[in-house]
Amino acid sequence: MTISHAAKEMGKYCDSVTGVEGSSGINGSSKQAAEEEEEEEVPEPPRNFTMKQLQHFNGKIDEKTEEPTPVYLSVQGTVFDVSKGRDFYGPGGPYEMFAGRECGAALATMSFDESLLDDLSACETLGVGDKAELENWLEKFEHYRCYPIRGRLVPEGKLPSADRIISMEELAKYDGMNQEIPEGEHAGYATRPIYLGALDKVFDVSFGGVPMYGKDGPYNRFAGKDASRALALMSFDPKDVENTDISDLEEKQVKVLKDWVKSFEEKKGYPVVGKLDKKL
């Protein structure tokens, strides 16, 4: 997804929330320029996946778009786009049960046992022969089939607690600008976390929002910040981005903010990784 395409998609969402065309500022000549801009489509940067997010990519018809979703699967945490093998992994295919699932242990043991799916830890307890078979599958997917790698699956147990309190100083560390390989507590992630505060919640938008909120993304200015006021006002004004006070918002502006939070949780599936130390 290019930046202009991402901005247009966000513009559509802003319009749907407010009921006003061009509420995001992507309208008129700027919208026309974005639509006329011809840029080569580049692959999206690697992203992190929750188990629930991965399950969406099962090749079935998406009720919202009425189009089939891509077919992704995870092998020992590496998420591959196997859409080119839809006949095998998509609906009706012999391996359709693996679509949208972590299936490393099942592939390694050549098993269709449902209990082996979505269990990353099972890959660690495989025998020597099965581990070698697992490596063969990884080699086959990446270098023989050349299935694109879309990111990494992060098991729920590795996600921070949604109840921990995150200070503004801690929040600011995850602003999407650090592109180094994740390590330490975030080892195994495809990209470093990107935090965004809204209301009293902190979302990790690296789980699908890297093109929007990562380095050079059109909404990077919200990353590492409590963006509640800016989101409620649909504002890029630095004064609103830096201001965390929402006590003077009108009722309809509070509703817009709550709609953003609902979209982050339900539509995007961004995991909540903490709470802001603030009173609402």
Side-chain angles (χ1 to χ4, degrees):
M1 179 184 293
T2 61
I3 291 177
S4 63
H5 291 161
K8 283 189 287 183
E9 287 301 311
M10 187 63 78
K12 292 177 183 177
Y13 174 76
C14 293
D15 293 349
S16 70
V17 168
T18 63
V20 179
E21 183 178 359
S23 58
S24 66
I26 303 174
N27 194 19
S29 58
S30 62
K31 183 177 181 180
Q32 181 179 1
E35 290 175 344
E36 291 178 351
E37 181 182 0
E38 302 236 356
E39 26 178 17
E40 184 180 350
E41 191 76 24
V42 295
E44 290 191 9
R47 55 163 287 185
N48 300 315
F49 289 85
T50 64
M51 199 73 74
K52 185 176 180 180
Q53 287 177 328
L54 180 62
Q55 289 171 358
H56 173 73
F57 297 97
N58 57 12
K60 297 180 180 179
I61 300 296
D62 186 307
E63 294 181 357
K64 296 178 181 178
T65 65
E66 298 183 350
E67 297 287 339
T69 67
V71 185
Y72 292 179
L73 56 78
S74 170
V75 182
Q76 200 177 18
T78 299
V79 177
F80 292 93
D81 182 346
V82 298
S83 298
K84 291 189 297 183
R86 185 178 293 270
D87 289 345
F88 289 95
Y89 301 101
Y95 298 97
E96 68 173 322
M97 69 179 298
F98 297 155
R101 313 289 292 271
E102 159 58 39
C103 56
L107 288 173
T109 58
M110 299 299 290
S111 172
F112 290 97
D113 185 346
E114 183 83 17
S115 68
L116 292 175
L117 297 179
D118 300 333
D119 186 0
L120 267 172
S121 63
C123 294
E124 305 301 321
T125 58
L126 293 172
V128 175
D130 290 336
K131 284 186 177 180
E133 186 62 27
L134 178 60
E135 291 299 321
N136 288 337
W137 278 102
L138 287 165
E139 181 79 11
K140 176 182 178 180
F141 277 24
E142 184 173 359
H143 301 294
Y144 179 63
R145 295 297 185 186
C146 297
Y147 291 139
I149 294 175
R150 297 304 187 199
R152 294 281 302 175
L153 175 64
V154 180
E156 187 174 346
K158 284 206 66 174
L159 293 173
S161 170
D163 294 323
R164 67 174 179 149
I165 301 299
I166 297 180
S167 67
M168 292 300 174
E169 291 76 17
E170 181 71 10
L171 183 67
K173 295 177 182 178
Y174 299 97
D175 61 359
M177 302 302 288
N178 188 335
Q179 296 182 300
E180 296 178 359
I181 297 175
E183 55 185 22
E185 63 179 318
H186 299 120
Y189 280 48
T191 185
R192 287 178 59 85
I194 303 173
Y195 287 177
L196 184 152
L199 283 177
D200 63 337
K201 298 181 179 181
V202 177
F203 295 92
D204 187 345
V205 298
S206 69
F207 286 77
V210 177
M212 299 298 297
Y213 300 98
K215 187 177 184 292
D216 299 325
Y219 292 86
N220 174 255
R221 68 195 71 196
F222 296 156
K225 293 182 172 63
D226 175 1
S228 299
R229 186 178 187 85
L231 291 172
L233 300 177
M234 303 286 195
S235 174
F236 281 165
D237 188 325
K239 293 181 180 179
D240 294 323
V241 175
E242 298 299 330
N243 187 354
T244 63
D245 182 21
I246 58 174
S247 62
D248 61 338
L249 294 180
E250 299 176 3
E251 183 178 347
K252 66 178 181 179
Q253 294 167 337
V254 173
K255 182 182 182 304
V256 169
L257 175 56
K258 289 182 177 179
D259 284 343
W260 277 106
V261 171
K262 183 177 180 181
S263 177
F264 289 164
E265 291 181 317
E266 299 180 7
K267 182 179 179 181
K268 300 297 185 181
Y270 297 144
V272 176
V273 294
K275 295 181 179 179
L276 292 173
D277 188 10
K278 62 186 293 187
K279 294 182 180 180
L280 298 180

